């Protein structure tokens, strides 16, 4: 026996779920403009419903945040970036200061990241990087194990090298042998070593060279394991350029590199935990 209210709520949730499934289908990748517009209208209806009326998340049900995120992405496809920004701003404000389950935190991280990208597009002409960088930092803080999110933040951080360095370091905390992160860091270290050769103390340079060597070794090891790696030729060439640099400028570290690689190939495992 249901109270009329309970039955009404179940019914509302069912209608909402059907509307959500239909909207998702309408705005799926490759949708026509007409289809997108229909989906956007449905998502807008769902968004206008109060957040607290949404049922707890199940496999088929939808959260308010999910509606906002999908709506923002659909608006971006229709080139309505300003509207998307407003919706994402609402979404992150709504979620601020609340305790969230991990699935919600991951969605919220996506919202912050997307908002950062939109701010970045706007600020290319006007405001400071601090605005979008703040959004990327929040995204990463919410979902620190998400390597593709970290990669995207690092890729978008073109002006602030030390910030991109942080993101790539975080990637290595999740996956030590991540090829692109190791190669990015190798470039960064080589740049630092070259810049420091005129000014810095030898201890700093030695520490940086040790980190540099570790990145090259990890990259080489990863490439030896992954013969099907996309763009493999490019990565092999990058490693070769780093080896040449060591051989030319830092012979003692080049010797260390060779002995390390010999030990690895003899054992078929990365014997040193660099």
């Amino acid at each position: 026996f249901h109270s009329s209210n309970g039955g009404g709520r179940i019914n509302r949730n069912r209608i909402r779920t059907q509307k959500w499934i239909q909207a998702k289908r309408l705005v799926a990748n490759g949708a026509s403009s007409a289809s997108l517009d229909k989906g956007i209208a449905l998502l807008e209806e769902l968004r206008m419903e109060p957040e607290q009326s949404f049922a707890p998340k199940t496999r088929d049900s939808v959260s308010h945040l999910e509606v906002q995120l999908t709506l923002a992405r659909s608006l971006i496809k229709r080139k309505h970036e300003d509207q998307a920004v407003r919706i994402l701003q609402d979404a992150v404000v709504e979620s601020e200061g609340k305790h969230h389950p991990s699935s919600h935190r991951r969605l919220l991280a996506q919202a912050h990241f997307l908002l950062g990208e939109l701010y970045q597009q706007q600020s290319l002409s006007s405001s400071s990087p601090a605005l979008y960088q703040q959004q990327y930092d929040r995204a990463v803080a919410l979902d620190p194990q998400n390597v593709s999110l970290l990669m995207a933040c690092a890729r978008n951080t073109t002006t602030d090298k030390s910030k991109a360095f942080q993101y790539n370091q975080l990637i290595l905390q999740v996956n030590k042998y991540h090829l692109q992160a190791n190669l990015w860091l190798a470039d960064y270290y080589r740049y630092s070593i070259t810049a420091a050769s005129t000014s810095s103390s030898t201890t700093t340079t030695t520490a940086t060279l040790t980190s540099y060597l570790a990145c090259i070794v990890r990259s080489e090891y990863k490439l030896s394991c992954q013969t099907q790696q996309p763009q493999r030729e490019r990565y092999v060439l990058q490693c070769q350029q780093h080896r040449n640099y060591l051989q030319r400028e830092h012979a003692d570290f080049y010797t260390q590199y060779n002995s390390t690689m010999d030990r690895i190939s003899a054992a078929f495992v990365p014997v040193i935990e660099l």
Side-chain angles (χ1 to χ4, degrees):
F1 172 74
H2 274 301
S3 74
S4 60
N5 180 31
R9 189 165 64 242
I10 288 165
N11 200 26
R12 272 204 309 280
N13 284 336
R14 191 177 300 125
I15 292 168
R16 181 185 292 133
T17 301
Q18 285 167 349
K19 208 183 264 190
W20 164 243
I21 290 166
Q22 193 188 348
K24 255 198 327 189
R25 216 177 17 244
L26 285 164
V27 299
N29 280 340
S32 67
S33 302
S35 173
L36 271 170
D37 289 341
K38 277 184 201 154
I40 285 169
L42 279 178
L43 288 165
E44 194 56 72
E45 279 175 37
L46 286 168
R47 186 181 77 94
M48 297 313 286
E49 294 185 30
E51 187 193 5
Q52 58 275 20
S53 74
F54 279 69
K57 182 91 180 90
T58 63
R59 196 169 61 84
D60 292 323
S61 73
V62 58
S63 69
H64 198 236
L65 178 58
E66 219 170 338
V67 168
Q68 290 165 310
L69 198 50
T70 310
L71 177 55
R73 286 183 173 135
S74 308
L75 285 165
I76 291 166
K77 285 181 190 166
R78 290 293 279 128
K79 304 275 186 280
H80 299 314
E81 282 85 356
D82 290 352
Q83 279 170 269
V85 165
R86 281 197 297 278
I87 281 155
L88 290 166
Q89 283 169 336
D90 286 349
V92 298
V93 167
E94 241 171 54
S95 294
E96 235 153 50
K98 293 180 188 163
H99 176 72
H100 299 295
S102 57
S103 60
H104 187 95
R105 280 206 305 277
R106 282 193 292 274
L107 283 174
L108 192 52
Q110 294 297 324
H112 277 293
F113 174 75
L114 199 49
L115 192 53
E117 280 206 312
L118 291 167
Y119 282 162
Q120 190 167 11
Q121 287 164 18
Q122 291 173 343
S123 74
L124 288 178
S125 52
S126 55
S127 67
S128 74
L131 198 60
Y132 63 81
Q133 210 64 67
Q134 198 179 34
Q135 297 302 322
Y136 294 153
D137 282 348
R138 281 191 186 153
V140 165
L142 284 158
D143 197 2
Q145 299 285 301
N146 185 336
V147 170
S148 22
L149 174 70
L150 286 162
M151 281 290 291
C153 290
R155 201 171 38 243
N156 286 359
T157 305
T158 47
T159 48
D160 186 345
K161 283 276 186 275
S162 62
K163 180 60 74 179
F165 175 78
Q166 277 173 23
Y167 294 144
N168 279 290
Q169 286 280 44
L170 285 169
I171 291 168
L172 293 199
Q173 283 177 25
V174 184
N175 174 4
K176 203 173 189 176
Y177 292 91
H178 191 282
L179 189 58
Q180 290 90 328
N182 273 299
L183 285 168
W184 189 94
L185 286 163
D187 283 339
Y188 179 87
Y189 288 132
R190 185 168 83 180
Y191 172 79
S192 308
I193 294 159
T194 315
S197 60
T198 48
S199 59
S200 192
S201 68
T202 46
T203 42
T204 326
T205 310
T206 305
T208 312
L209 269 161
T210 307
S211 302
Y212 178 49
L213 177 65
C215 287
I216 302 167
V217 168
R218 286 194 292 256
S219 304
E220 297 260 3
Y221 174 72
K222 185 67 183 267
L223 281 166
S224 70
C225 302
Q226 286 197 328
T227 49
Q228 297 305 304
Q229 175 77 37
Q231 297 181 298
R232 192 170 189 280
E233 294 310 308
R234 200 185 71 173
Y235 297 133
V236 168
L237 185 65
Q238 276 177 277
C239 287
Q240 194 183 335
Q241 287 163 345
H242 288 304
R243 283 200 309 275
N244 293 348
Y245 171 77
L246 273 182
Q247 190 176 11
R248 198 172 60 244
E249 303 291 336
H250 301 279
D252 48 341
F253 276 88
Y254 183 66
T255 308
Q256 205 179 320
Y257 159 82
N258 280 323
S259 60
T260 305
M261 291 313 288
D262 289 345
R263 295 212 317 278
I264 290 173
S265 56
F268 295 108
V269 286
V271 280
I272 40 153
E273 275 302 302
L274 277 164

